Amino acid sequence: MLLVACARPDASHPPDHPFDPYERQNRKVHAFNLGVDRALIRPASKGYSNFLPDDIETAIGRFAFNLAIPSDVVNNVLQGNMKGAIQDTFRFAVNTTVGLGGFFDPATEMGLPQPTDTDFGETLYVWGAREGAYVELPLLGPGTERDTWGKAVDLFTNPLTYVLESPENLYGTAASVSSGLSNRGRYSDTIDSILYESADSYAQSRSIYLQNRRFELGKGVDDTYLDPYSDPYEDPYDE
């Protein structure tokens, strides 16, 4: 029922124009997100990046990335991508043991394939769910109706959430927040140019997100665009 509920444009909607029936509300959320970024996230990220040495930032990013791999495994299984599930499981096992929990990345040095980096939004795409309307969420930023449902389900798809006891099961969340601040500081110039130097930062963010997301679902690699609200890893730890 949730999948059927995804909105879609009518026949008169131009195919090359974003389907954004909630634009008025989206712009209000975008203004809120800009205010939070300007007042809190941007200054915090700059202080964080200036305080921590680059090697430690990278290690924390690896740790967060490694803890997210079990969720990729689950989504690969749901997508019928058993090859990706097996490769991700092997990478997780190597980096968790030999790599001391993921702070190091021996899997890459061994030549193992990079993680598939998937999510439940992509699972819905594989299952045939429509993209739906463009939406911007408070703090989470740009998305679509399909990806919004995907983000909600992804809160429950990581098996580590159920295996680890408290407070160990919160380590991944803390590492992800830390990694997000690191990325915001590292890519500050590019993100600031999108959010604060564009004639219409809302339209710019919408265009960048939709182009990036549609390209990702095609399993391409596009380094032309940067989603200012997501982790902008291309090959995050092969540096």
Side-chain angles (χ1 to χ4, degrees):
M1 292 176 62
L2 294 177
L3 302 186
V4 173
C6 287
R8 61 178 173 180
D10 57 38
S12 63
H13 184 81
D16 59 344
H17 191 274
F19 180 45
D20 190 3
Y22 312 124
E23 181 171 353
R24 179 177 297 181
Q25 181 63 29
N26 283 337
R27 284 186 176 274
K28 292 180 181 178
V29 176
H30 182 74
F32 168 79
N33 286 338
L34 281 181
V36 173
D37 181 78
R38 183 182 295 108
L40 180 61
I41 298 177
R42 182 170 63 166
S45 67
K46 289 183 177 180
Y48 180 86
S49 293
N50 291 334
F51 175 74
L52 283 183
D54 291 343
D55 289 345
I56 295 180
E57 279 191 275
T58 300
I60 293 175
R62 287 182 182 139
F63 179 68
F65 199 68
N66 188 62
L67 290 182
I69 290 179
S71 181
D72 294 338
V73 174
V74 171
N75 278 297
N76 275 315
V77 172
L78 294 175
Q79 294 166 23
N81 181 11
M82 299 310 298
K83 179 180 179 180
I86 294 171
Q87 289 177 345
D88 286 353
T89 299
F90 192 40
R91 167 175 278 271
F92 176 75
V94 170
N95 280 354
T96 300
T97 55
V98 183
L100 302 179
F103 286 106
F104 301 95
D105 187 16
T108 296
E109 297 178 4
M110 294 168 58
L112 297 180
Q114 290 296 317
T116 50
D117 194 17
T118 186
D119 52 52
F120 196 74
E122 183 171 353
T123 298
L124 293 178
Y125 166 78
V126 171
W127 290 354
R130 296 187 296 266
E131 180 180 81
Y134 175 81
V135 294
E136 180 155 345
L137 302 173
L139 302 180
L140 297 178
T144 62
E145 288 183 311
R146 180 177 62 205
D147 286 338
T148 298
W149 289 115
K151 290 176 181 177
V153 175
D154 275 329
L155 295 174
F156 307 98
T157 56
N158 195 324
L160 295 181
T161 304
Y162 310 101
V163 173
L164 298 177
E165 297 182 357
S166 181
E168 287 81 3
N169 59 358
L170 299 178
Y171 289 171
T173 301
S176 295
V177 172
S178 176
S179 179
L181 285 176
S182 176
N183 289 330
R184 180 61 178 90
R186 181 178 301 176
Y187 297 93
S188 180
D189 291 342
T190 302
I191 295 173
D192 287 350
S193 69
I194 296 170
L195 296 181
Y196 302 111
E197 299 174 16
S198 303
D200 185 348
S201 63
Y202 171 77
Q204 180 81 339
S205 297
R206 179 182 63 191
S207 175
I208 289 172
Y209 175 82
L210 292 175
Q211 291 186 63
N212 261 348
R213 185 57 171 165
R214 290 166 182 172
F215 202 85
E216 287 173 357
L217 294 178
K219 287 303 180 184
V221 178
D222 187 358
D223 58 4
T224 304
Y225 302 102
L226 176 67
D227 177 1
Y229 295 91
S230 70
D231 289 348
Y233 289 122
E234 295 172 10
D235 184 359
Y237 307 121
D238 187 18
E239 297 181 3

